Amino acid sequence: MVLRRAFGIVLAAVLPFAAATTAAAREAPAPGCMDARRMVSAHQLDSALFAVALDDGQRFRIDLVEDCPLEAGAGLDGLQILAPDAWLCPGSVGLVQRGEVRCPVRALAELDARDYAALGRLSAQRDVALLDPVEVRGARRHGFRGSPDFCFAPRFMRGWSEDRKGLLVEVSPMRSGGNRFYRVELAGSCPALASARRIELHSGPMNGLVCGNAGDHVRILPTPEGLGAGLFDHDAGLTSSIMDQVASLGTCPVVAVYPREEDRAR
């Protein structure tokens, strides 16, 4: 899909968004504490490491004691955090439970959007690596699982722009976990992007999502001669036919995707 710098119409996306909790805002007993009642998403990297997001935009890393055999699981399924008045604080007593196993919390630290996305992406890649071998019959697409914590669907972008921190894309918040803008970090410099008017974002695993996985990249596209920008941008059929005939001006690998930190609700 070809997009221009000006933002266009609202389109639906395929990423489901986490259900927000209804917990009222409470005053934390100490700096750096996490209100366990506000959890909306979680990623488990192994038996001793979790990344958790709250409905107010805060994100945390939870490290458990290393010898505790916590059961593997996906997201918030069966996950419970046990702490006094549901406040998990650095240096305080707390337990994480999944299934019948409870593990003491060893450390708690707040994360920014970039680090939370990186841990979520590693968790998804780990889950794929642990899947049993399957025999594929017929043409089917396989790839990493996606999450609005670290992925977006490029075919449903509203638009894109640049700022001091790099490439910024706008999506439909209703279909992207409530996120309206995503940062897209590129590998090294991307000079062609500075003068670009049209780009495409491609998924390396061919699953329709850009997450910073191997092969994800931005493709810089030229403007066909003699064609008005408005017509090229909005006539989907004409755009599709011309796209098959023009070469790209270069590609730039994507290394990280995460919601824009400035949009985090407090």
Side-chain angles (χ1 to χ4, degrees):
M1 177 179 180
V2 181
L3 297 155
R4 58 191 176 92
R5 291 178 184 270
F7 295 138
I9 59 174
V10 178
L11 296 173
V14 298
L15 291 174
F17 62 91
T21 67
T22 57
R26 304 188 296 161
E27 183 176 353
C33 291
M34 186 190 87
D35 188 350
R37 301 191 308 176
R38 306 184 73 99
M39 293 191 303
V40 292
S41 68
H43 302 287
Q44 181 179 357
L45 276 75
D46 52 42
S47 61
L49 177 58
F50 280 85
V52 175
L54 310 187
D55 65 354
D56 62 356
Q58 287 185 292
R59 306 169 182 89
F60 293 87
R61 170 181 173 139
I62 301 176
D63 291 271
L64 310 179
V65 294
E66 296 179 356
D67 59 347
C68 188
L70 195 72
E71 298 179 14
L76 295 175
D77 185 24
L79 180 66
Q80 299 182 61
I81 294 181
L82 310 178
D85 197 26
W87 283 110
L88 184 63
C89 299
S92 67
V93 176
L95 299 171
V96 173
Q97 176 174 337
R98 196 188 289 278
E100 301 299 321
V101 180
R102 291 182 177 180
C103 298
V105 175
R106 180 169 58 87
L108 175 72
E110 192 166 3
L111 297 171
D112 60 20
R114 187 184 191 281
D115 289 341
Y116 184 78
L119 291 178
R121 187 169 61 252
L122 287 174
S123 174
Q125 293 171 353
R126 181 197 65 88
D127 290 344
V128 171
L130 293 178
L131 290 176
D132 294 332
V134 296
E135 180 181 357
V136 179
R137 298 181 180 179
R140 297 185 61 186
R141 291 183 177 181
H142 297 273
F144 301 119
R145 292 185 298 107
S147 164
D149 294 329
F150 54 89
C151 297
F152 68 90
R155 64 185 180 277
F156 297 120
M157 287 167 51
R158 289 179 174 181
W160 68 279
S161 63
E162 288 179 277
D163 61 15
R164 293 180 302 171
K165 296 183 179 180
L167 183 62
L168 187 68
V169 300
E170 184 185 17
V171 297
S172 169
M174 293 181 60
R175 302 296 181 177
S176 303
N179 303 309
R180 183 182 177 188
F181 293 99
Y182 281 87
R183 296 278 178 197
V184 178
E185 290 191 6
L186 306 177
S189 62
C190 186
L193 189 61
S195 58
R197 294 193 61 194
R198 294 169 178 81
I199 64 172
E200 284 184 331
L201 284 101
H202 289 262
S203 169
M206 300 296 290
N207 60 2
L209 302 175
V210 171
C211 314
N213 292 321
D216 289 355
H217 64 276
V218 177
R219 184 172 180 240
I220 314 300
L221 301 173
T223 301
E225 294 183 4
L227 185 63
L231 182 60
F232 184 73
D233 289 333
H234 298 294
D235 190 322
L238 184 58
T239 297
S240 177
S241 64
I242 293 178
M243 279 305 306
D244 295 334
Q245 304 173 31
V246 298
S248 72
L249 298 177
T251 61
C252 304
V254 174
V255 297
V257 172
Y258 49 94
R260 185 171 68 172
E261 187 72 15
E262 296 90 316
D263 299 327
R264 189 172 79 172
R266 284 289 192 176

